[in-house]
Amino acid sequence: MSETEITAELIARHGLTADEYARVLAILGRSPTLTELGIFSVMWSEHCSYKSSKAWLKKLPTTAPWVICGPGENAGVVDIGGGQAAIFKMESHNHPSFIEPYQGAATGVGGILRDVFTMGARPIANLNALRFGATDHPRTRHLVAGVVAGIGGYGNCVGVPTVGGECEFHAGYNGNILVNAMTVGIARTDRIFYSAAAGIGSPLVYVGSKTGRDGIHGATMASAEFNEASEEKRPTVQIGDPFTEKLLIEACLELMATDAIIAIQDMGAAGLTSSSFEMASKGGVGVLLDLDRVPMREHGMTAYEIMLSESQERMLMVLRPGCEAQAEAIFRKWELDFAIVGAITDTGRMVVRRFGEVVVDVPIDPLAKASPEYDRPFVIPEPPPPLTAGDIDEPPAVVTDLAGALQTLIGCPDLASKRWIWEQYDHMVMAATVQRPGGDAAVVRIPADASDDPAAAGRGLAMTCDVTPRYCRADPRQGGRQAVAEAWRNLTAVGARPLAITDCMNFGNPEKPEIMGQFAGCILGMAEACEALDFPVVSGNVSLYNETNGVPIPPTPAIGGIGLIADLSAMATLALKAADEVVMLLAPAAAPSVGWLGQSLYLREVLGREDGAPPPVDLAAERRVGDYVRALIAAGPVRTCHDLSGGGLLVALAEMALAGNVGVVFDQPLPLPADVPLFAWLFGEDQARYLIGVPAADVDAIGADAARHGVAASRVGRIGGEELILPDGCAISLKELRRRHEGWFASYMAA
């Protein structure tokens, strides 16, 4: 065992508290070696152990008849019929991307790809959810450029299309940006692979790239706040190689077509340590590791460095005895390292040797399953009072300038076209992308060659990423509800039946009751929405300590959702189409027009305010209106649909007109309530609303049918021309709207 002195300073540098170290001593019955201390440090880090969040995560609904595997594995699995399953997950790479944006974002993509294909799925799509600081902050352009280049550089090279996502800016992210990556894959339901090790004496095999010193203590770094010395953490950022990842995908999938694999796990955060401990703990077995056999690209690596390295593109697997030669031949063919580094034992302990000496001998379950679990004090903030139109005391000339407000909103950083970003991504590779970035949800054709059902051809998988942090900060419970409902609406708007979500919970320091209250409130709201919408959580990630010098990010529970389109010929897009169509607004019948301005983009971008309560989310209304919208799309009369979100009704209509390159004459709305002025109705962010395009001949029939389903359907405008003609008679050319909408991002990045 090592003779390194374990001092209080060394313990603190490893992120362990005095109480946690006392628990280490109790588990071992002695002082740990340096390598054992490092192992406890990473396994009990917030990033790996969820010690502040797992009690709350248990409140989320995770089951449904179509859920094959919920949280606890590398990714979630849902049945999509035809003998096929969708496997997906979202994960954060926030801290590394702030320190080194290109490699941080690139390795975030690589890591989430491995989470999906390690379960037997071929990745078919990537998405990302990005948050950057204020546009005038000196680091923002640098971070945007590096993150986008990293995502594109990795995803494009590995050959998986990046089909969707979101990107917003706010000063609350000046010190901590968010880079959340999502991958969706398809597998056969009878060929799904799990990570629980089994088979006493079975070989433990390392495959992929060699191990280096990059990324050591990455998990610990991701579990701490930033300060002025954060740049010194650059060595903890991993380096990715997408070409090796592509080889690894193909090699693993080829071996998965055989019966050689008992269990498989990617080496993500905490590398060889977490992968080996998790596999052994889930299987209830022990592990013997010989580090001298680990392929290394650097000389003289210590046991500590090998066990904690987060070098990329590596996998750990348990093979059936006798299959070693078959597996090695496959990995050698793909020019990847292959090494038998250990074996499964019946001891329930992790024993690690280096240079013939035992450097680690620890019990597995007390370390993996008995990590600290904290019931952090929390205070859920009281939401601010609602903001009514009567509280807006701006001069009449401001609130009556509808054209000016629309042009401001359509070109603001959050709503401006993100074409500059997604044109750097290959979103058409694999030739299965049906709806490209820029719509409500991306749609990818489901490969039918692996289906048991010939009728499964022509199906699609819709996917989206959504959250509105300004709502979550004002009222975490309503914000959590809205994040889930927004993902549900975006899938509904393309005609998909929402199936399940993955989440990425991005928050500040959980040791502060107000931050823990934000987390708790968002979880409660998410749980309510998931229950009401039959939209279970099947995978996810928690990223805490996103704050710098005590300043936290806005609470950002990013939601990644997927949905099934049974027939791609019955699918909607947001682009307005036929010139004889009419635009209709579908909304809850009980409250079709309120004009909710609290926390709206109109309030922030036009009036320079960030106050008021966010719009309430009536989940029964969400379900009622959304189910009706999907029925209309499936039945055929509706091929144009767009949900209403940031910016409200007029922004949504402008987006539809720009997507279809056709104008709209806005009809004078029905008489509004006396306390709802026109600007509030046009820019308010009331929930559970959609705009649809329908043939003029169907307007009356849809209106009557909608009423029978508890949905209010009202005519908004007629399609035609090259202008958007507003209710006040003002006309804005599509050319000018497009200049505002598509010009901002490119101009900003070129400045």
Side-chain angles (χ1 to χ4, degrees), residues 34-56:
L34 177 62
T35 304
E36 290 170 343
L37 180 67
I39 287 171
F40 274 95
S41 168
V42 294
M43 290 298 293
W44 287 5
S45 68
E46 193 74 60
H47 189 76
C48 291
S49 74
Y50 295 85
K51 57 191 175 185
S52 297
S53 60
K54 54 188 171 185
W56 285 96

Side-chain angles (χ1 to χ4, degrees), residues 164-230:
E166 57 173 357
C167 174
E168 293 185 350
F169 299 81
H170 192 276
Y173 302 98
N174 282 350
N176 293 81
I177 66 172
L178 302 184
V179 176
N180 296 172
M182 176 176 169
T183 292
V184 182
I186 300 293
R188 289 181 55 88
T189 54
D190 59 356
R191 303 299 295 174
I192 296 170
F193 291 80
Y194 298 98
S195 57
I200 305 305
S202 297
L204 189 65
V205 174
Y206 170 120
V207 298
S209 290
K210 289 179 168 61
T211 295
R213 291 188 171 95
D214 51 315
I216 294 173
H217 272 302
T220 307
M221 180 267 290
S223 305
E225 293 182 33
F226 279 164
N227 54 37
E228 293 83 353
S230 293

